[in-house]
């Protein structure tokens, strides 16, 4: 999708639904490559980040959401029933109808399909980063327990490998930007973090993961304390 069409879609969704506030705009890069790492907060996270941050992202997304045969069931369980409070037999019908819009739209937005145990998203992502693109990742593990204060689950570490992959391929450090999405429809961007390519890779990936997760949590709690 071209930058113009992406911007139009983002603007329309923002005006019709999100209408939030962006904080930390001074941290935004003037160009890529970079990886933005955000909390999920249900459907609000992806919508909030894309609508609030005026940049063109290539977003990691559960592969089922891009598969027209599996998207309806995933959408029903993840959004239609918990968020819209619809029940069968209505919820499957609404989910099926909605996927006729969401699957082609998400595909056209350049979303990157992610499946647990399949590392294809890493090679696709590296290729985009080498073109100077921006990635958006929501790395929470859905099966792990949610923190009641931040509504966040622990981060999965797969995406952190992009730091060493990019460094090996390009000889430069890749920037990772922490992003917090709050239920008050405020989105905050933090200062970027990088890996040390000379450090032991597994330990450095964990350091980056824990620092990003802690920063997103801290920003969320700060937004929580400053609610109007």
């Amino acid at each position: 999708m071209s930058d113009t069409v992406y911007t139009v879609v983002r603007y329309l969704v923002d005006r019709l639904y999100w209408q939030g506030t962006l904080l930390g705009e001074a941290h935004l890069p003037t160009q890529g490559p970079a990886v933005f790492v955000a909390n999920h907060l249900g459907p609000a996270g992806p919508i909030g980040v894309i609508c609030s941050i005026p940049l063109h992202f290539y977003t990691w997304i559960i592969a089922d959401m891009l598969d027209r045969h599996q998207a309806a069931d995933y959408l029903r369980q993840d959004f239609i029933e918990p968020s819209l409070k619809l029940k069968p037999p209505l919820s499957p019908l609404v989910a099926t109808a909605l996927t006729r819009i969401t699957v082609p739209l998400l595909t056209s937005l350049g979303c990157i399909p992610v499946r647990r145990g399949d590392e294809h998203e890493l090679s696709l992502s590296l290729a985009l980063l080498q073109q100077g693109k921006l990635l958006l990742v929501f790395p929470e593990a859905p099966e792990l327990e949610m923190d009641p204060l931040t509504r966040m689950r622990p981060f999965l570490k797969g995406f952190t490998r992009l730091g060493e992959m990019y460094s090996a391929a390009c000889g430069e450090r890749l920037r990772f930007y922490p992003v917090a999405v709050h239920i008050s429809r405020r989105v905050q961007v933090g200062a970027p973090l990088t890996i040390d390519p000379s450090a032991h890779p597994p330990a450095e990936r964990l350091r980056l993961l824990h620092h990003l997760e802690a920063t997103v949590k801290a920003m969320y709690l700060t937004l929580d304390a400053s609610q109007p």
Side-chain angles (χ1 to χ4, degrees), residues 16-215:
L16 295 173
Y17 172 71
W18 182 251
Q19 299 180 14
T21 302
L22 175 63
L23 304 172
E25 192 170 1
H27 292 304
L28 294 178
T30 56
Q31 62 182 14
V35 180
F36 284 67
V37 182
N39 58 311
H40 207 289
L41 202 66
I47 293 172
V49 175
I50 290 172
C51 287
S52 300
I53 299 178
L55 299 172
H56 188 155
F57 291 114
Y58 292 82
T59 305
W60 279 23
I61 189 171
I62 297 296
D64 288 356
M65 287 293 293
L66 301 177
D67 186 325
R68 63 186 182 89
H69 298 295
Q70 300 181 50
D73 193 52
Y74 183 89
L75 196 61
R76 175 185 62 80
Q77 296 181 57
D78 189 64
F79 174 65
I80 300 296
E81 293 180 358
S83 297
L84 300 185
K85 308 302 182 184
L86 298 180
K87 302 294 182 183
L90 183 58
S91 57
L93 295 175
V94 173
T96 299
L98 195 55
T99 56
R100 295 176 182 175
I101 299 173
T102 60
V103 172
L105 176 61
L106 294 172
T107 301
S108 68
L109 287 173
C111 292
I112 301 169
V114 176
R115 290 190 186 279
R116 192 77 65 88
D118 182 353
E119 298 184 348
H120 185 53
E121 69 272 8
L122 294 176
S123 58
L124 290 176
S125 298
L126 179 60
L128 288 168
L129 292 170
Q130 290 175 302
Q131 298 171 39
K133 305 300 185 183
L134 301 171
L135 303 184
L136 175 58
V137 179
F138 299 89
E140 292 180 48
E143 72 278 8
L144 298 182
E145 185 176 354
M146 178 186 293
D147 173 15
L149 294 179
T150 61
R151 307 189 183 195
M152 284 175 56
R153 292 179 169 85
F155 284 1
L156 294 167
K157 65 182 179 181
F159 74 94
T160 60
R161 290 186 55 196
L162 290 170
E164 63 200 63
M165 291 171 66
Y166 184 81
S167 179
C170 303
E172 300 175 353
R173 294 193 180 196
L174 179 63
R175 293 163 295 170
F176 292 81
Y177 287 83
V179 181
V181 186
H182 193 265
I183 55 173
S184 62
R185 299 200 176 189
R186 288 176 294 165
V187 174
Q188 181 161 359
V189 181
L193 308 170
T194 63
I195 67 162
D196 179 357
S198 65
H200 185 53
E204 187 65 358
R205 288 197 296 267
L206 285 176
R207 183 195 67 80
L208 176 65
L209 179 77
H210 293 153
H211 198 164
L212 284 166
E213 184 175 338
T215 302

